[in-house]
Amino acid sequence: MPEPRTVALVTLGCARNEVDSEELAGRLAADGWELVQEAADADVAVVNTCGFVEAAKKDSVDALLEANDLKDHGRTQAVVAVGCMAERYGKDLAEALPEADGVLGFDDYTNISDRLRTILSGGVHASHTPRDRRRLLPISPADRQDAAVALPGHGDLAPVPEDLPEGLAPASGPRAPLRRRLGGGPVASVKLASGCDRRCSFCAIPAFRGSFVSRRPSDVLNETRWLAEQGVKEVMLVSENNTSYGKDLGDIRLLETLLPELAEVDGIDRIRVSYLQPAEMRPGLIDVLTSTPKVAPYFDLSFQHAAPGVLRAMRRFGDTDRFLELLDQIRAKAPQAGARSNFIVGFPGETEEDLAELERFLTGARLDAIGVFGYSDEEGTEALTYDNKLDEDVIAERLAHISRLAEELTAQRAEERLGETVEVLVETVDEVDGAVGRGAHQAPETDGQVVLTASQGLAPGRIVEAKVVATEGVDLVAEPLAGGECPDEEAAA
């Protein structure tokens, strides 16, 4: 019997891409492929690319070239691009990057195993011509659920094999995804939806991810139960816009009812919601996020700027005072709530006064984490056609200035937490770094961490109460409290 073909998945970009990679891993494992961690140990390296901004695209190309180098002195025979950049550019990417043996779009995911076998055998799979995926779905959100369109992270309408290998997610609905975890940590993401109906003038994501489509609550619940069986303790809900969840299912408040149900899943100790739109925040959603046991009072709010003129040019809504009022409403209900956001500086037409208004907002917002990006033109966006573009040197100067301010402000916010009691999900324990984890106000990889002063008796996946005794930039140093194991953990033990 021939040895199974081996495949490694290299994931770049956001948590949504991580979910997509685990769906691809599930499909491949179900068809007999052996998954390996290192590209050098694989017959084929699949690079799940990011196509959001120029820097991310460069990272994706670098990863493809690095994997291609393995073909000269390792086991690797083929390198294949999937993900957002592959979907966004299709045959154009294939022509510009001949080092990639295949460029596969979202429509290829269902048949990923056949595609890879074809490429490994020396065959060629023609790359797709890029198209606006919003046009593949009905304009009315209510008519999108049954559309036969590839939706990464949603599964597909094809039959699911009955005898699945151990470690694959079971069927859970009409679009049940097959999923195989690629990491063993206590945190995993779950997709609430795909696509976006907003038309921000700087963003190309809707064009290659498509219009907004929610996953059904039963599918989200079943996948969360499966993750709990795999040892996951914290689930992060991801999509391009979680505040729109349920609108295509006839209930824009569906997230408010789903969160308490997810919190009741045995084995799950924390639910985190990411990607919230400030203009769509509702009092009821704020109430659920700040008062539901096990749901982290965490607000990943996509502000992008604070000057009214810039926001209007971005096709967004709000201003400094409204945004500060929203944060005040949140903290009135949960004073320790975490809040983070990303911002674009150097947008076409941005004035010195606009920049000063952004500074005023950042200074008053007391955000736990701030991401800052310099504007760059993106193909297919409205902003590409705008006049009043700023010089690259001006954008770089503003980016450096706001980044320094953000670093100072988030460090100050961390210092405000001195003396607070935080619930820390332990993620790693080793002899060098001791026990390291995250509080409820810290999302994975983006918002800093908590270093515990003692690690005896701790293990990844446990939640402990600890008192913040010091800070290191955005990171906290905390002392575990005697008997500080959280009640749910203690009961489970």
Side-chain angles (χ1 to χ4, degrees):
M1 188 175 190
E3 291 186 9
R5 290 290 201 177
T6 57
V7 58
L9 287 132
V10 180
T11 306
L12 294 95
C14 65
R16 295 167 301 221
N17 257 16
E18 294 174 5
V19 176
D20 292 348
S21 285
E22 294 195 348
E23 178 188 356
L24 291 173
R27 293 177 185 276
L28 290 166
D31 201 40
W33 289 75
E34 180 183 344
L35 300 168
V36 296
Q37 288 189 335
E38 301 297 331
D41 299 328
D43 296 317
V44 57
V46 177
V47 180
N48 192 348
T49 61
C50 179
F52 180 39
V53 294
E54 200 61 37
K57 287 183 279 188
K58 182 182 182 303
D59 289 343
S60 295
V61 170
D62 289 345
L64 287 163
L65 293 175
E66 182 178 341
N68 181 69
D69 289 341
L70 297 173
K71 291 192 291 186
D72 295 331
H73 51 266
R75 174 171 178 165
T76 309
Q77 302 172 45
V79 175
V80 174
V82 299
C84 291
M85 190 168 73
E87 174 62 40
R88 184 176 181 182
Y89 296 106
K91 67 174 185 177
D92 295 334
L93 177 63
E95 293 171 0
L97 195 71
E99 291 84 355
D101 299 286
V103 174
L104 305 181
F106 297 152
D107 293 331
D108 293 308
Y109 281 21
T110 300
N111 300 307
I112 186 68
S113 182
D114 290 341
R115 300 286 186 265
L116 296 189
R117 292 183 193 281
T118 296
I119 292 168
L120 274 178
S121 65
V124 176
H125 177 71
S127 302
H128 67 284
T129 299
R131 53 184 172 168
D132 189 336
R133 292 189 71 85
R134 289 171 294 191
R135 298 178 182 176
L136 303 180
L137 289 163
I139 295 176
S140 170
D143 295 332
R144 296 174 188 165
Q145 283 291 320
D146 297 324
V149 175
L151 299 171
H154 291 237
D156 57 75
L157 301 176
V160 175
E162 293 184 3
D163 297 326
L164 293 176
E166 184 178 352
L168 289 189
S172 59
R175 283 189 179 274
L178 294 175
R179 181 171 180 178
R180 165 67 67 83
R181 291 206 71 202
L182 294 174
V187 183
S189 296
V190 171
K191 271 198 176 181
L192 273 184
S194 288
C196 186
D197 287 342
R198 301 184 70 87
R199 294 297 178 262
C200 299
S201 63
F202 56 84
C203 184
I205 289 176
F208 58 83
R209 277 288 183 180
S211 298
F212 186 88
V213 183
S214 301
R215 292 183 66 201
R216 295 187 179 277
S218 58
D219 291 354
V220 177
L221 278 163
N222 284 336
E223 190 168 338
T224 300
R225 293 186 183 107
W226 174 78
L227 287 169
E229 293 172 359
Q230 306 300 305
V232 169
K233 297 299 180 182
E234 176 179 325
V235 162
M236 185 164 73
L237 303 179
V238 299
S239 77
E240 280 73 18
N241 178 10
N242 281 335
T243 33
S244 283
Y245 178 68
K247 73 174 188 178
D248 52 324
L249 296 172
D251 185 0
I252 191 59
R253 294 178 174 81
L254 194 56
L255 185 55
E256 284 98 302
T257 57
L258 175 62
L259 284 171
E261 294 183 71
L262 289 170
E264 292 179 0
V265 173
D266 288 341
I268 298 297
D269 293 324
R270 181 183 287 166
I271 305 291
R272 185 182 304 277
V273 183
S274 61
Y275 306 115
L276 301 169
Q277 287 290 340
E280 298 181 29
M281 289 300 295
R282 307 173 291 275
L285 181 56
I286 294 174
D287 286 343
V288 171
L289 287 169
T290 55
S291 65
T292 307
K294 293 188 179 181
V295 174
Y298 175 79
F299 293 81
D300 177 11
L301 296 160
S302 178
F303 290 122
Q304 301 298 346
H305 212 283
V310 176
L311 286 167
R312 300 304 175 269
M314 289 179 169
R315 302 287 185 195
R316 298 179 66 82
F317 307 95
D319 54 45
T320 293
D321 293 336
R322 287 187 223 178
F323 291 163
L324 291 177
E325 181 181 357
L326 172 60
L327 291 169
D328 286 343
Q329 292 172 1
I330 291 168
R331 288 167 177 146
K333 296 180 179 294
Q336 290 183 301
R340 80 166 324 274
S341 191
N342 293 324
F343 299 88
I344 298 173
V345 297
F347 194 78
E350 181 190 64
T351 65
E352 291 287 352
E353 290 75 17
D354 294 330
L355 195 69
E357 187 65 6
L358 176 57
E359 290 185 45
R360 182 170 82 89
F361 170 69
L362 291 174
T363 302
R366 298 168 52 231
L367 298 174
D368 292 280
I370 299 171
V372 188
F373 302 89
Y375 171 80
S376 62
D377 283 334
E378 286 295 322
E379 305 98 318
T381 65
E382 182 183 353
L384 180 68
T385 67
Y386 284 3
D387 297 325
N388 302 320
K389 299 283 178 64
L390 277 63
D391 290 340
E392 289 185 7
D393 290 347
V394 173
I395 295 175
E397 182 181 340
R398 293 184 180 185
L399 174 61
H401 171 66
I402 296 298
S403 296
R404 286 193 300 270
L405 176 64
E407 187 175 343
E408 294 172 3
L409 292 172
T410 51
Q412 290 175 15
R413 177 62 182 134
E415 290 175 357
E416 291 179 19
R417 293 190 180 275
L418 287 170
E420 284 187 0
T421 297
V422 292
E423 293 186 355
V424 181
L425 173 66
V426 180
E427 292 190 300
T428 60
V429 180
D430 59 48
E431 295 181 359
V432 177
D433 298 321
V436 178
R438 291 175 297 102
H441 69 285
Q442 297 168 315
E445 298 182 3
T446 60
D447 300 346
Q449 60 188 15
V450 179
V451 179
L452 295 169
T453 60
S455 60
Q456 185 175 2
L458 299 183
R462 290 179 60 180
I463 291 185
V464 296
E465 289 187 339
K467 181 180 179 180
V468 179
V469 296
T471 66
E472 298 174 358
V474 297
D475 297 336
L476 306 180
V477 178
E479 179 181 345
L481 299 176
E485 199 166 17
C486 292
D488 293 325
E489 280 283 316
E490 193 173 339

